[in-house]
Amino acid sequence: MSETQFVDAAVRAARLAGAVLQEWADKFTVKHKSHAADLVTEADLAAQNVIYDALHGQFADHGFLGEEGLQHDSGTSEYRWVIDPLDGTSNYVHGYPAYAVSIGLEHEDELIAGVIFDPNQDEMFTAAKGQGAALNGKPLQVSDADQLSQSMLVASFPPGVQRDGPEIARFLNVLPQAQTIHRTGSAALNLAYIAAGRMEGYWSTSLKPWDMAAGVLIVREAGGQVTACNGQPWVLEDADLLVTNGTAIHAELVELLT
């Protein structure tokens, strides 16, 4: 099966999961805030289950790794789906429309297909290895900004970050140099937006494989650059990620972050 066919399967699964999330979102009202943790877990699991059922039904011998405890190792296949059914949990709970479904596919530890779906904007970001990236079928290209002073950046902080933590120090190092720095609450959308040319750079040291798998491929296929924060090669199992549009700002950010 081709990478394009894998992407098509992931698109169908992501749309199913997006519909589940939107259905559950109606239950997050002010009076239910005290039960938000339980509700979001149920929504997460429900979305993950529809993704798994859709993909496992087509690719029964593939491996699976998902945020909500999904780990299905295959002894026969060299393929593994890496799934985040709800990236942007805090946003989702608060009714802030910045969350997404993220589905990536590895073959022999190499990313070959990726899909990020924003059900609020009906935006489907896709990529197949060697075939470019697209948004709702239209080709994507990173921006050409080559100065930090022209760049919109985004950063992630880990849970429980302290005011004297290294994450704050890195943020303050970059802040005076950038045009602006945001925190969006969704790693998947950060990566998708860099691929779409809406942002120029993103870094984090607290991510999981399912946060990054699809987005990293989409950025690469849109012409962007992906490394660890210190400029070393990026590894899916490591929490450390720096993504940019691939211009001179990448090296500048490496210097500021290390």
Side-chain angles (χ1 to χ4, degrees), residues 188-201:
L189 289 180
N190 293 342
L191 295 169
Y193 287 0
I194 291 173
R198 300 173 183 174
M199 296 176 173
E200 280 68 47

Side-chain angles (χ1 to χ4, degrees), residues 24-56:
W24 274 91
D26 293 337
K27 301 180 182 181
F28 287 87
T29 62
V30 173
K31 66 180 181 180
H32 288 134
K33 286 290 186 182
S34 61
H35 304 294
D38 294 334
L39 286 173
V40 77
T41 298
E42 291 185 59
D44 234 333
L45 284 170
Q48 182 168 278
N49 287 341
V50 298
I51 296 170
Y52 177 77
D53 290 346
L55 295 176
H56 186 257

Side-chain angles (χ1 to χ4, degrees), residues 3 9 30 40 49 66 70 81 89 95 97 154 159 180 186 197-198 205 233 256:
E3 285 87 351
V30 173
V40 77
N49 287 341
L70 174 61
W81 295 92
T89 303
V154 62
T180 185
S186 173
R198 300 173 183 174
T205 57
L256 290 166

